[in-house]
Amino acid sequence: MTDPTTDTAPDRRGAIARGLRSVRRGQAVIVAALVFLGLLWLNAALSPYPLSYFDISFLASGGATTAIAAVGQTLVILSGGFDLSAGAVVSLVNAVLATNMDPANMQASAPLWTLVGILIGAGVGAVNGFFVAVMRLQPIVVTLAVMFIVQGITLLVMDTPGGFIAPTLGAFYLGDAIPNLLPAPVAVLAVLVVLWFWLKRTSYGVTLYAVGSDPEAAHATGLRTRTTTFVTYVLAGGLYGLAGVFVSAQTGSGDPLVGNALLLPTFAAVVIGGTRLGGGKGGIVGTILGAYVLMIVVNLLLSLNVSAYYATIAESAVLMIAVLAGSLSADSVLSRRLRDLMAAIGARRAGRLVSQRPREDRRLAFTEPAAETPRLRFLQRHGHTLRHALPAWICLVVVLIVTQLVLGNVFGNQHYWNSLLVLSSFLAILALGQGAVILTGGLDLSLPWGIALSGVLLTGLVGGNDAALWTAIPVVMLVAVGVGLLNGLGVVALGLSPIVVTLAMNGVLQGVALIWSGGTPAGFAPPALRWLMTAKVAGFTPVVLLMVVFVAFAILLLGRTAFGRRIYAVGNSEVAARLSGVRTGRVIISVYVLSALCAALVGILLAGFSGQASLGMGDDYLLPSIAVVVVGGALITGGRGHYAGMLGGALLLTAMQTLLAGTALPIAFRAVFFGLVILAAVIALRD
Amino acid sequence: MYKNFLTGAVCASAMVAGTAQAQDAPYDIYLSMSYIGNDWQAEASNMVKALATSSDYADKVNLQVQVAGPNAQRQIQQINAMVQAGADAIVVYPISPTALNNVVKSACDRGVVVIAYDGEITEPCAYNVTINQAEAGRKTAEWLVEKLGGEGDIIAVTGVPGTSVDTARTTAAMEVFDQHEGINVIGEAVGMWSQAVARTELNKLMATRNWSDIDGLWMQVGCYTANAMQIEAGIAPEDVLPCAGEGSNGGRIQMLPAGTEVEGASSPYIPMGAPRISYAAPPYSGAMALKLAVDILDGKEVEKLTELPLPLVTNETVTLCETGSWEEQKAGCNAFQPGMVSNPGWFASIFAEDLPQLGLNAALVGQPEN
């Protein structure tokens, strides 16, 4: 007989180790829960009244729509994708329910209409899934195109708020699952969590994580990656549909725009909840907590009486702190960077740092470059670039021909070409910055308020005076460099996802622009700037010449400089690039600086174009800036793309918008067509 | 610490942080705005703050301002938080006319006065302060038809599609155009109620056309920009097309006869006698909502729907203000010196008969007349 203690001790130690491991794995979720509880407690402490069951019930319903939609988003992100159609689907379901429920039937069945909503969402998800999983297109463009199409369809279903939602739906989703103990929204979320824990253990769940971690490996192991990806988008769509049903229940009526603003909050909820953008790690419990953190911040801003101008800054701070705290550990990027820094300082003291060694050629004989490079034929050298850059240009030609047929007055009309070039100049400039960031595998979401802040700063500083441009432009550009540096440092030094850092930066810039301008930007663009953007010299606006110079600069920068090559190297494999001696940190920081500078240039030019700056003037450029880069043949995960293609993308999008603006098509149809053209362009890009 | 920092931050608006739970004056009134990134919203918020700090209201009102952004979910949450914080009244710029119904109902049930400005809330217990949007669309369209003598090709630039305000205005205007055989709407674009968007959209519309192809414009926002673009295209100021559109100060200044003496003008923000009708949803509606909220809390009888008079200004009625005081506006002036209002997109329809506390400075910087 053996001693029981010796037998169980390793077991117990194993259990403790397992427990610790799962705590560490759940760190982000635990942090999100602590942040939520802390904020809830702070809010209750500041409130003059004690927190009642009613308040909790209301809080639960307030965050539920975002939470449910964000759960869907989590699934897509776990699979390594990205879904921009989430908000649009919520609006669509709300509009369909509100227009189709019979006002005479006060007893409409909640389960039946829930099913309708989920099916509509799943239908849209199936479209996304088909193009992503079967056609193998990039999720971000597919869902962007589908977003435009769904928004158009929603406006066709319902062009103005109204309609009717049966009160039974409200009673079902907002009432009590157990009176005075369990509000219905909490019960709905609990059901989702239980389903999730079951799903995670099925072969689908295992494959989902495998696909998100490494799609190649998952495929090679014989997992059904395509089916899994397809099912993920369908499930996610169904969840957006459920969110749409919930918002219908909550508001008791329809509004075709109600869900559109939910898109960015779903991303914020996902990252606060600790799910890794890029896939393979995370889960929905954290996401749900993340959604409620976002909601409770609204209450807290009120309790603390934070001025409206500071609200977005405070929110960005919460986002950054929550995400940072969730990822902090001994082997997180931040601690690694700190250790690297200490090591570098130590090495410098000891004189062992690489840069302190004498500069002499230490290459081994066999690494010497060949004396003669093999001559490649034109197609061998550029075929790959052309393969991805040409589709945008081909689509552009098609759109131009259609414009000529429908509206006439294109090919022989210098005025048309001038308008096209001037209007696409903004996107063409943004494409360099956003493109460089995307080539390294990042994404810059701080463009909208980077543009607005630059424009507002410029017009405020110059006050309509040409001479002041010489001081104002450098100041604006310096501010942009600062913004880019902070973005880059956030990504490199803190090791946070670019989406989190730049989303938070966007909020901060919004706050700064509001505070600086006091809500109404003053001042004009000076005459020289207005001349640049609106005058005509020999039939062309002067900015067209600037564009030619810019395009040449961009192509040379990305294609012919060491900096450009390093960008591609980092995008293809950051590790390989670093091991080859590329200072990857510097490269990544530089691309964010470049992006911020491009945004600032666009802000300046837009101010000249409009004659003055306005606060919302960057809002319409974020999604198009991503679209032109991807339509131009770049890979959203980085490493592939050419500026010539992006330029084609910018011209294509502008030509398409010009065509649609010229037709007599109803506005809702225009959105649908726009989405279809983007989809067609990326199908042409298919490998 | 907190309070010092925050009071410092918001000293201009002179808001008073406090947790008073008084049922009598001073009333705790909360303002839930949607978005603060445009001129209209900034002016509306300035005027609400100005009224709250005017000598008539400073002792009666504790005002606190919050912003919900474009997200209706957040506004729902915010209104509920305001109720929890002990609001006596909530003044709200509704993001959606319908999405807030349930939360507004629950606020009403707890005895809170909810009053919406500019947009409407369809929940019956809410008070609304607004203009008749359909009338705005109709009147401006009728003016344009009359100006063109019932014949001509026009371009329409609408607002934000899917909102009830845009639908009401555009539908009413299109009905008028449909009734006149000779009027053809040859192009339509989404203007998003922004001068900057109006410029890009007009550029797209004009890419395959000439200005001589069209006879008039109907725009919810953007006449100022359209006139500027025509001047840039080399059209003489006296030949600028008739435009029915928004009440921006830039547009009003352009309506003044060419040669009128103004301070601080530079082209295209100059008097040029542009043929215009200028209308606006007046930005004082928020301040009016605050006044009515106090009236209701004082026990006065207030109608559920307060329809504000539609401010319509034509070339015949446009008049330049010297100082922009309430008194002067009462005497009939309705355009402000570019030297004082440097932003041409700024909305000039700020005169309210019932709000003598609010002049130009209230809308510009949130400073009341007394």
Side-chain angles (χ1 to χ4, degrees):
Chain A
M1 245 169 87
T2 46
D3 191 342
T5 50
T6 51
D7 238 351
T8 52
D11 270 7
R12 204 185 308 142
R13 229 174 301 147
I16 291 169
R18 267 200 304 280
L20 270 178
R21 249 203 324 274
S22 60
V23 164
R24 188 156 322 143
R25 214 182 298 148
Q27 182 188 354
V29 179
I30 295 166
V31 167
L34 289 178
V35 169
F36 173 68
L37 290 176
L39 293 178
L40 190 66
W41 173 82
L42 186 60
N43 191 47
L46 287 166
S47 164
Y49 307 109
L51 206 59
S52 68
Y53 171 77
F54 177 83
D55 297 331
I56 291 180
S57 162
F58 208 96
L59 200 63
S61 73
T65 310
T66 316
I68 298 170
V71 165
Q73 189 72 258
T74 310
L75 295 182
V76 172
I77 287 179
L78 279 176
S79 79
F82 213 72
D83 196 343
L84 298 179
S85 69
V89 175
V90 172
S91 300
L92 175 66
V93 170
N94 179 230
V96 170
L97 259 54
T99 41
N100 287 304
M101 277 190 157
D102 179 8
N105 180 8
M106 300 300 270
Q107 298 301 319
S109 153
L112 176 71
W113 285 99
T114 302
L115 190 67
V116 170
I118 291 177
L119 284 179
I120 293 171
V124 176
V127 174
N128 281 330
F130 172 77
F131 285 109
V132 174
V134 181
M135 301 286 282
R136 306 239 187 152
L137 301 178
Q138 298 187 56
I140 198 163
V141 232
V142 168
T143 55
L144 179 69
V146 168
M147 178 190 97
F148 283 122
I149 295 169
V150 171
Q151 282 177 353
I153 294 174
T154 308
L155 283 180
L156 288 177
V157 172
M158 175 179 240
D159 66 354
T160 187
F164 169 83
I165 299 287
T168 43
L169 207 58
F172 185 81
Y173 282 104
L174 303 175
D176 298 310
I178 304 168
N180 286 320
L181 194 66
L182 184 64
V186 178
V188 171
L189 291 171
V191 168
L192 286 182
V193 170
V194 169
L195 282 176
W196 166 245
F197 279 121
W198 167 75
L199 197 65
K200 239 171 101 167
R201 295 181 185 284
T202 63
S203 65
Y204 163 78
V206 174
T207 316
L208 175 66
Y209 279 91
V211 169
S213 303
D214 189 340
E216 303 294 322
H219 189 69
T221 329
L223 295 175
R224 300 166 64 133
T225 53
R226 286 195 189 196
T227 318
T228 303
T229 309
F230 180 78
V231 170
T232 302
Y233 280 91
V234 174
L235 284 179
L239 283 161
Y240 308 146
L242 180 62
V245 173
F246 193 91
V247 91
S248 308
Q250 187 188 19
T251 61
S253 62
D255 184 333
L257 306 176
V258 73
N260 297 3
L262 278 177
L263 182 61
L264 288 181
T266 62
F267 285 118
V270 170
V271 290
I272 291 177
T275 296
R276 188 172 67 196
L277 292 162
K281 181 168 171 269
I284 74 164
V285 180
T287 300
I288 291 173
L289 287 165
Y292 279 98
V293 167
L294 291 176
M295 268 345 228
I296 195 92
V297 169
V298 176
N299 291 41
L300 210 58
L301 290 175
L302 184 84
S303 311
L304 291 173
N305 195 4
V306 174
S307 154
Y309 290 179
Y310 289 85
T312 55
I313 298 182
E315 280 172 7
S316 297
V318 171
L319 177 64
M320 288 288 284
I321 291 169
V323 174
L324 202 56
S327 67
L328 218 55
S329 71
D331 38 70
S332 70
V333 176
L334 177 58
S335 2
R336 254 204 334 265
R337 290 278 179 266
L338 285 176
R339 278 201 302 274
D340 287 354
L341 193 66
M342 299 308 287
I345 292 172
R348 178 171 288 278
R349 283 224 188 93
R352 283 188 283 109
L353 204 64
V354 178
S355 60
Q356 288 172 311
R357 300 172 72 185
R359 284 174 178 267
E360 55 189 56
D361 197 340
R362 293 171 207 276
R363 269 177 294 187
L364 300 174
F366 62 85
T367 61
E368 206 167 300
E372 213 176 296
T373 48
R375 283 185 164 272
L376 295 173
R377 279 181 301 124
F378 178 81
L379 264 186
Q380 280 178 315
R381 207 146 40 143
H382 298 292
H384 187 69
T385 308
L386 285 177
R387 169 77 193 79
H388 295 115
L390 266 186
W393 290 94
I394 294 170
C395 288
L396 172 65
V397 172
V398 173
V399 169
L400 288 175
I401 293 172
V402 173
T403 311
Q404 171 72 37
L405 293 176
V406 176
L407 301 174
N409 217 1
V410 169
F411 288 108
N413 181 4
Q414 195 189 8
H415 179 60
Y416 175 84
W417 293 104
N418 186 50
S419 296
L420 180 64
L421 291 174
V422 172
L423 286 174
S424 54
S425 64
F426 309 116
L427 278 178
I429 293 170
L430 289 178
L432 174 64
Q434 186 71 275
V437 171
I438 288 178
L439 282 174
T440 64
L443 206 59
D444 189 351
L445 302 183
S446 68
L447 293 182
W449 284 94
I451 294 172
L453 178 64
S454 308
V456 169
L457 267 182
L458 182 94
T459 55
L461 288 173
V462 294
N465 187 348
D466 272 345
L469 274 178
W470 296 109
T471 51
I473 290 181
V475 170
V476 171
M477 289 298 176
L478 264 179
V479 172
V481 169
V483 169
L485 271 178
L486 288 178
N487 272 337
L489 282 173
V491 173
V492 173
L494 300 182
L496 297 180
S497 151
I499 292 182
V500 181
V501 176
T502 54
L503 192 62
M505 178 58 79
N506 194 44
V508 172
L509 293 177
Q510 178 175 6
V512 172
L514 283 169
I515 294 163
W516 200 81
S517 67
T520 47
F524 295 102
L529 201 56
R530 289 220 296 274
W531 174 82
L532 178 72
M533 297 305 297
T534 58
K536 285 265 178 78
V537 178
F540 279 103
T541 306
V543 71
V544 172
L545 182 67
L546 183 78
M547 273 316 297
V548 173
V549 176
F550 184 87
V551 167
F553 164 76
I555 289 178
L556 288 179
L557 181 72
L558 289 183
R560 288 269 174 265
T561 62
F563 174 64
R565 299 196 181 251
R566 288 186 194 127
I567 291 176
Y568 285 95
V570 169
N572 279 314
S573 167
E574 199 181 330
V575 179
R578 186 159 48 237
L579 293 178
S580 318
V582 175
R583 312 208 52 171
T584 53
R586 287 187 188 179
V587 174
I588 293 175
I589 292 175
S590 312
V591 296
Y592 286 95
V593 172
L594 179 65
S595 180
L597 283 172
C598 288
L601 183 58
V602 168
I604 293 169
L605 295 182
L606 266 176
F609 186 62
S610 298
Q612 74 259 5
S614 51
L615 285 169
M617 70 186 191
D619 291 354
D620 301 327
Y621 289 91
L622 176 62
L623 292 178
S625 77
I626 300 170
V628 298
V629 171
V630 183
V631 168
L635 209 57
I636 198 74
T637 45
R640 189 192 88 192
H642 193 275
Y643 183 75
M646 300 173 197
L647 178 67
L651 290 169
L652 167 65
L653 251 63
T654 313
M656 186 65 202
Q657 286 170 342
T658 308
L659 169 62
L660 289 175
T663 60
L665 278 177
I667 283 150
F669 276 116
R670 295 183 194 175
V672 175
F673 270 94
F674 191 67
L676 288 174
V677 167
I678 295 181
L679 212 49
V682 284
I683 289 174
L685 274 171
R686 207 157 76 88
D687 283 313
Chain B
M1 261 307 281
Y2 253 123
K3 275 200 176 146
N4 283 344
F5 162 67
L6 290 168
T7 345
V10 298
C11 62
S13 51
M15 291 188 285
V16 187
T19 47
Q21 300 172 28
Q23 306 306 314
D24 305 321
Y27 305 119
D28 285 323
I29 300 185
Y30 289 78
L31 171 62
S32 170
M33 299 176 60
S34 108
Y35 185 58
I36 35 176
N38 67 42
D39 296 317
W40 196 95
Q41 297 283 1
E43 281 178 68
S45 130
N46 282 343
M47 293 178 93
V48 173
K49 288 173 189 166
L51 187 68
T53 49
S54 69
S55 57
D56 302 336
Y57 285 85
D59 303 332
K60 282 183 129 174
V61 172
N62 284 334
L63 179 72
Q64 195 179 322
V65 183
Q66 291 285 304
V67 171
N71 187 346
Q73 290 294 312
R74 284 197 54 157
Q75 197 164 38
I76 291 171
Q77 179 79 10
Q78 198 164 68
I79 290 174
N80 193 59
M82 288 170 173
V83 174
Q84 284 174 23
D88 293 313
I90 297 172
V91 178
V92 49
Y93 178 95
I95 295 166
S96 158
T98 53
L100 305 176
N101 284 356
N102 282 340
V103 71
V104 167
K105 176 97 176 40
S106 97
C108 292
D109 291 346
R110 291 169 90 175
V112 180
V113 175
V114 179
I115 181 160
Y117 65 96
D118 198 48
E120 255 180 278
I121 296 180
T122 50
E123 164 59 41
C125 82
Y127 293 83
N128 285 298
V129 180
T130 176
I131 57 167
N132 185 332
Q133 305 289 0
E135 192 192 344
R138 189 161 48 245
K139 283 270 171 68
T140 49
E142 281 166 356
W143 175 88
L144 186 61
V145 170
E146 194 187 328
K147 198 81 186 167
L148 297 175
E151 296 264 330
D153 294 336
I154 61 168
I155 277 180
V157 174
T158 61
V160 177
T163 57
S164 53
V165 172
D166 176 56
T167 311
R169 287 181 187 171
T170 306
T171 313
M174 291 301 167
E175 273 169 14
V176 173
F177 296 139
D178 286 345
Q179 282 162 13
H180 294 83
E181 290 275 319
I183 298 284
N184 299 314
V185 181
I186 58 166
E188 195 181 334
V190 176
M192 305 302 281
W193 294 322
S194 145
Q195 299 278 356
V197 175
R199 180 174 278 264
T200 31
E201 290 303 315
L202 278 175
N203 258 292
K204 288 173 195 160
L205 276 170
M206 299 314 295
T208 53
R209 292 191 181 86
N210 281 318
W211 284 103
S212 55
D213 298 344
I214 52 178
D215 304 303
L217 299 128
W218 182 85
M219 310 182 83
Q220 292 196 14
V221 167
C223 281
Y224 167 78
T225 298
N227 290 344
M229 284 173 64
Q230 291 172 68
I231 301 291
E232 284 155 16
I235 292 168
E238 56 270 22
D239 297 331
V240 162
L241 298 172
C243 187
E246 84 292 349
S248 70
N249 198 52
R252 295 265 169 94
I253 293 292
Q254 288 176 338
M255 290 163 77
L256 293 165
T260 310
E261 287 280 320
V262 296
E263 291 162 24
S266 66
S267 180
Y269 192 7
I270 48 164
M272 55 173 75
R276 283 283 316 275
I277 185 168
S278 156
Y279 78 106
Y284 69 76
S285 56
M288 184 62 99
L290 177 63
K291 173 190 148 40
L292 292 177
V294 173
D295 286 353
I296 297 164
L297 291 172
D298 281 345
K300 290 188 193 142
E301 197 66 26
V302 171
E303 293 285 325
K304 286 282 181 186
L305 172 65
T306 304
E307 201 169 285
L308 301 172
L310 183 64
L312 284 173
V313 177
T314 60
N315 296 72
E316 288 73 42
T317 54
V318 67
T319 317
L320 188 67
C321 298
E322 290 303 323
T323 61
S325 68
W326 181 84
E327 299 286 344
E328 199 192 355
Q329 292 187 59
K330 188 170 164 53
C333 76
N334 44 31
F336 303 98
Q337 299 277 6
M340 288 186 227
V341 179
S342 68
N343 175 357
W346 194 87
F347 288 82
S349 293
I350 57 166
F351 172 71
E353 182 87 46
D354 298 336
L355 299 171
Q357 298 87 350
L358 306 181
L360 174 61
N361 277 333
L364 269 183
V365 291
Q367 190 189 350
E369 299 273 275
N370 50 18

